[in-house]
Amino acid sequence: MNISILSVFPELYKPFLSTSLVGRAVQSGLVSFHVQDFFSYSEPKERIDAPTYGPGAGMILKPEIVQKAIEDCENQRGKAFKIFFSPQGKKLDQPLARQLAQQLAGKHVMLVASRYEGMDTRVEEEYADLELSIGDYVVLGGDLPAMVFIETFLRLVPGVVGKEESVVCESFSGAFLDHPEYGPPVVWKDQEVPEILRSGHHEKIKQWRHEQAARKSIVRRFDWVRSHAGSDKDRATVARLLPAHYAALMHVDIRLPHDQIGTTSVTSLDIHDIARSACTYGIKNYFVVTPLSDQQRLVETLRSFWMSEVGIDYNPERHEAVRRVQLVAQLDDVVAAIREKEGIDPLIIATSARPVGGRAETITFNDHEKVFSHNRPVLFLFGTGRGLADVVFERCDYVLIPLEGFSEYNHLSVRSAAAVIFDRWLGTTGKREGN
Ligand SMILES: C[S@@+](CC[C@H](N)C(=O)[O-])C[C@H]1O[C@@H](n2cnc3c(N)ncnc32)[C@H](O)[C@@H]1O
C-alpha cells in the first residue's frame, strides 16, 4: 500500500506515522507513506494561498500550486486515487471505509489536505476521485481528517491490527454497536463485572453480548440500526428489543371553538387505515377512544365483523390489523390497559398539526434516545377534529413536532399523519437482506 499526503504542514505527520500500529505497519512494509509539502511548489517568497473572489476575507490554496504538487507526486509514484478532504464531501463511515479498503488495496492513494477556506472548486472538480468528510463539523484543515482516514483505513488492511476478529466484530460493522467491555479488577468502585462474563460459557457470553449490544444500539443509535438491520435475524432482534409502542385516536378531549372541549364522531376509514399502519410498524395496540355509546356501537360493529369467521375469511390481513383495535372511553383507560400489559405506565407523546406550548417538551423525529432511554412503553396520541385539547397536552410527557413539508399547506388527515409519524419514528431506512 502506497499513500501520498499533500499538506501545508508536513511536520504534523512525523510523530503520527511513526507511532503505534501505524508506525508498525510502516516498519513491517505493509504501507509506505510519502509526505509532500505544498510550499515546495511555490517560488521563494511566493505565497501558496490567495484571497477568494467575492466579499469575505477568505484565503484558498492557489490552484497552480496544487496542480504542480499532484502532477509531481504522480510522476514520482504513479497514478493515484485522489482523496480531497472537505466537510462538504461524502461522510466517512465504516461501510465506506470497508469499501475503500477493498477498492484501493495495493494501489497508490493520494490524500490532499487543504487549509484556509478549502480548495478552489475547479481543482476539486479536476482532480478529486473522492471528496471525503469526517463528520458534520469543521476543523481547521485537512490534516486531522487525513489522519482519521489513515487510521480507519489501515485497520482494515490485513495484518495491521493483530487480531482480525477485532475489526470484524465492532461498532458499525453490522446493525449494532460493539458490546460493553470489562477488564480486571472484578469489582471497581462497587461495580462488579457481570457474572456471565466470568462463567466461561462461551455460547452464553456470545448471546449476552449480542443482546447488550443490540439494546444499547437501539437506544443510542436508532438511526444506524434502522438503516442497517436488514437481515431477518437482526430485524427480529430489533422487533423484540424495541420499547413497546401503542397508539390512541382521541375522539374525546378535543378542541372546540371558544376554548370549549368536546367529542367527535368515529370514522370507519380511520379505524381501518390506522389499524393497518399500526400493524405495519409493530404498534402493539391501537386504541379508539370515545365515551359516546352510539359511537362505541359503531366501532364494535365494525370490529366484530373483522373478528368473525366471515371477516377473517374475506381478508385475513385486515383481520390481523383490526384485531389490535381496542375500544375505550377515556385516555385513563388507555393508560390503565397499557399498565396492565407492561407493568408500567407509558410515556405519552402527543401529536399536533400546530406548535404547542405548555409543560410537555417538544421532541423531533431524531429524539429516539431521549424517549427510549426511559425504558418505558411509548404511547402516541392522535387528535381528531380541531386537535387535542390543552388538558391532554398537559398530561403528556412529550409533544412531537408537527409534520410539515416545505409548503404552507398543512391539512393532513389523521390517518395520513399517523402513517407518516409511524414511519418516521419506527420505519426502516436501509435495504432488507435479499432485496
Ligand atoms: C476551515 S475548513 C474550510 C471549510 C469550508 N469553508 C466549508 O465551510 O465547507 C479548511 C479545510 O479543512 C478540512 N476540513 C475541515 N473540516 C472537515 C471535515 N469535517 N471533513 C473533512 N475535511 C475537513 C478541509 O480540507 C477544508 O478544506
Side-chain angles (χ1 to χ4, degrees), residues 85-88 113-119 132-135 137-142 145:
F85 292 95
S86 162
Q88 299 164 29
S114 174
R115 286 268 153 180
Y116 321 119
E117 274 311 315
M119 278 287 166
L132 205 58
S133 164
I134 56 162
Y137 48 87
V138 179
V139 292
L140 286 171

Side-chain angles (χ1 to χ4, degrees), residues 19-316:
T19 306
S20 182
L21 292 184
V22 180
R24 237 192 278 163
V26 174
Q27 275 172 14
S28 61
L30 285 167
V31 60
S32 71
F33 288 99
H34 172 81
V35 186
Q36 235 167 269
D37 186 350
F38 279 122
F39 279 101
S40 332
Y41 299 95
S42 61
E43 298 302 322
K45 297 209 177 141
E46 182 197 354
R47 292 189 66 99
I48 60 167
D49 58 343
T52 55
Y53 282 111
M59 303 292 282
I60 47 167
L61 279 172
K62 289 180 182 165
E64 57 273 30
I65 299 279
V66 184
Q67 177 190 351
K68 278 191 214 160
I70 289 176
E71 285 174 0
D72 185 39
C73 179
E74 287 198 319
N75 285 340
Q76 284 184 50
R77 313 191 88 205
K79 183 106 187 99
F81 183 89
K82 293 178 268 305
I83 300 179
F84 281 51
F85 292 95
S86 162
Q88 299 164 29
K90 191 170 175 136
K91 202 156 12 145
L92 180 63
D93 63 9
Q94 200 64 18
L96 177 59
R98 276 186 196 286
Q99 183 204 311
L100 290 172
Q102 280 196 350
Q103 180 188 339
L104 302 177
K107 303 228 166 88
H108 178 204
V109 179
M110 190 189 296
L111 308 181
V112 185
S114 174
R115 286 268 153 180
Y116 321 119
E117 274 311 315
M119 278 287 166
D120 189 305
T121 299
R122 294 166 298 178
V123 174
E124 283 167 340
E125 283 171 5
E126 174 72 22
Y127 294 116
D129 294 305
L130 176 65
E131 278 180 52
L132 205 58
S133 164
I134 56 162
D136 297 338
Y137 48 87
V138 179
V139 292
L140 286 171
D143 298 294
L144 280 177
M147 292 180 197
V148 168
F149 172 78
I150 289 168
E151 288 214 351
T152 312
F153 182 78
L154 277 193
R155 22 193 340 271
L156 301 173
V157 171
V160 172
V161 174
K163 286 188 183 158
E164 201 115 315
E165 181 195 337
S166 323
V167 298
V168 176
C169 311
E170 62 183 356
S171 298
F172 308 116
S173 290
F176 306 120
L177 305 171
D178 205 352
H179 54 76
E181 302 278 15
Y182 296 85
V186 171
V187 180
W188 179 75
K189 293 206 172 206
D190 292 336
Q191 293 180 74
E192 205 169 323
V193 175
E195 208 170 321
I196 176 91
L197 292 176
R198 295 175 280 138
S199 68
H201 197 306
H202 285 200
E203 195 45 43
K204 280 195 180 149
I205 292 176
K206 211 171 132 191
Q207 277 170 16
W208 181 87
R209 283 179 161 172
H210 179 71
E211 184 94 1
Q212 296 295 315
R215 277 184 195 283
K216 195 206 262 177
S217 315
I218 289 170
V219 173
R220 292 207 185 158
R221 290 301 305 273
F222 191 63
D223 62 319
W224 178 270
V225 171
R226 62 174 15 185
S227 80
H228 291 86
S231 70
D232 289 349
K233 182 171 173 249
D234 290 339
R235 287 170 57 88
T237 304
V238 179
R240 184 168 54 82
L241 297 179
L242 258 176
H245 280 72
Y246 294 85
L249 182 63
M250 298 290 289
H251 290 283
V252 62
D253 293 337
I254 295 302
R255 276 174 74 211
L256 297 179
H258 313 298
D259 289 335
Q260 299 288 302
I261 299 179
T263 55
T264 51
S265 305
V266 300
T267 67
S268 66
L269 264 182
D270 285 341
I271 299 172
H272 281 129
D273 286 4
I274 296 180
R276 291 163 72 179
S277 299
C279 203
T280 304
Y281 291 94
I283 307 281
K284 274 187 152 175
N285 280 125
Y286 158 41
F287 296 89
V288 177
V289 189
T290 173
L292 306 177
S293 48
D294 61 327
Q295 299 297 306
Q296 292 186 347
R297 271 197 299 278
L298 280 173
V299 180
E300 284 299 6
T301 307
L302 188 137
R303 196 173 181 278
S304 56
F305 170 75
W306 289 110
M307 296 304 286
S308 72
E309 296 276 318
V310 186
I312 297 171
D313 253 19
Y314 181 69
N315 188 337

